[in-house]
Amino acid sequence: MSKIIDALNTQINKEYYSAYLYLSMSAYFSSVGLPGFASWMRIQAKEEMTHAAKLYDYVLARGGKVVLKAVAEPPASWKKPLDVMKAGLEHEKKVTKCFNDMTDLAVKEKDHAAQIFLSWFVSEQVQEEQSFGDIVNALTLINGEGQGVLMLDRELGARTFTDETQTAAG
Ligand code: FEO
């Protein structure tokens, strides 16, 4: 199997892990009475599944073999909402590094199609880090407590799901 296909299969697994991690975070938020945060995370998990599907479809389109590996168990508890969002941001930074590394590999292998394909994810990661970062900043400003958390919860609860992999740019 080519190195790129191998790396893409590893990334499919990481996207499913991301979905699992965010579902676990969603369950945490539900358990502490923050339905808006829970809903936001549930949508985030759904988005990760679309990322996995986009990679899966590309592997098949290139005549590669899709290899699904075991998904690791995510953490299940956090001390406070700010810790959850910080962990999410750190996770997204790791995912960004994966796509940057894969792009480096595609350049090295002179795989132009893979470079163009991966550029969608490189751009998407800017948004992913920004959305987690914005919530980390908001929670930090309100010290992660009080009325501000409930207001933020209402705001996050308004998020709706859109499959960005199906838009023109996707
Ligand atoms: Fe699949 Fe959160 O990036």
Side-chain angles (χ1 to χ4, degrees):
M1 201 184 301
S2 87
K3 284 182 190 166
I4 293 279
I5 296 293
D6 216 14
L8 291 169
N9 273 315
T10 300
Q11 193 60 35
I12 290 172
N13 181 269
K14 287 182 177 159
E15 298 294 333
Y16 280 118
Y17 175 77
S18 300
Y20 233 36
L21 175 64
Y22 297 146
L23 261 186
S24 185
M25 289 175 169
S26 179
Y28 162 82
F29 283 126
S30 289
S31 76
V32 296
L34 291 171
F37 278 85
S39 169
W40 191 95
M41 269 305 173
R42 188 113 186 215
I43 289 170
Q44 189 61 33
K46 207 167 168 182
E47 200 176 89
E48 299 302 345
M49 306 279 278
T50 68
H51 295 168
K54 187 174 177 76
L55 293 158
Y56 175 107
D57 288 340
Y58 180 80
V59 169
L60 290 182
R62 296 307 299 272
K65 183 175 173 5
V66 168
V67 181
L68 298 176
K69 303 165 195 190
V71 181
E73 188 177 316
S77 63
W78 293 266
K79 276 199 184 122
K80 52 186 193 291
L82 180 58
D83 292 345
V84 181
M85 300 312 299
K86 277 184 176 169
L89 176 59
E90 286 317 302
H91 180 69
E92 287 299 335
K93 285 182 180 171
K94 277 190 214 151
V95 173
T96 298
K97 185 178 183 316
C98 292
F99 282 110
N100 288 341
D101 289 348
M102 268 187 284
T103 303
D104 288 345
L105 178 64
V107 169
K108 193 166 155 247
E109 301 277 311
K110 296 188 167 57
D111 187 338
H112 295 193
Q115 283 175 52
I116 292 165
F117 172 73
L118 288 166
S119 70
W120 184 87
F121 285 95
V122 171
S123 303
E124 171 68 11
Q125 283 308 121
V126 174
Q127 272 182 39
E128 294 282 86
E129 287 190 31
Q130 190 183 10
S131 53
F132 275 91
D134 285 349
I135 300 170
V136 167
N137 290 341
L139 276 172
T140 305
L141 274 173
I142 55 179
N143 277 326
E145 57 190 34
Q147 193 68 14
V149 176
L150 294 179
M151 283 173 67
L152 189 56
D153 190 62
R154 262 201 298 281
E155 194 184 312
L156 296 182
R159 180 183 183 182
T160 54
F161 173 73
T162 37
D163 184 350
E164 288 179 11
T165 67
Q166 299 302 315
T167 61

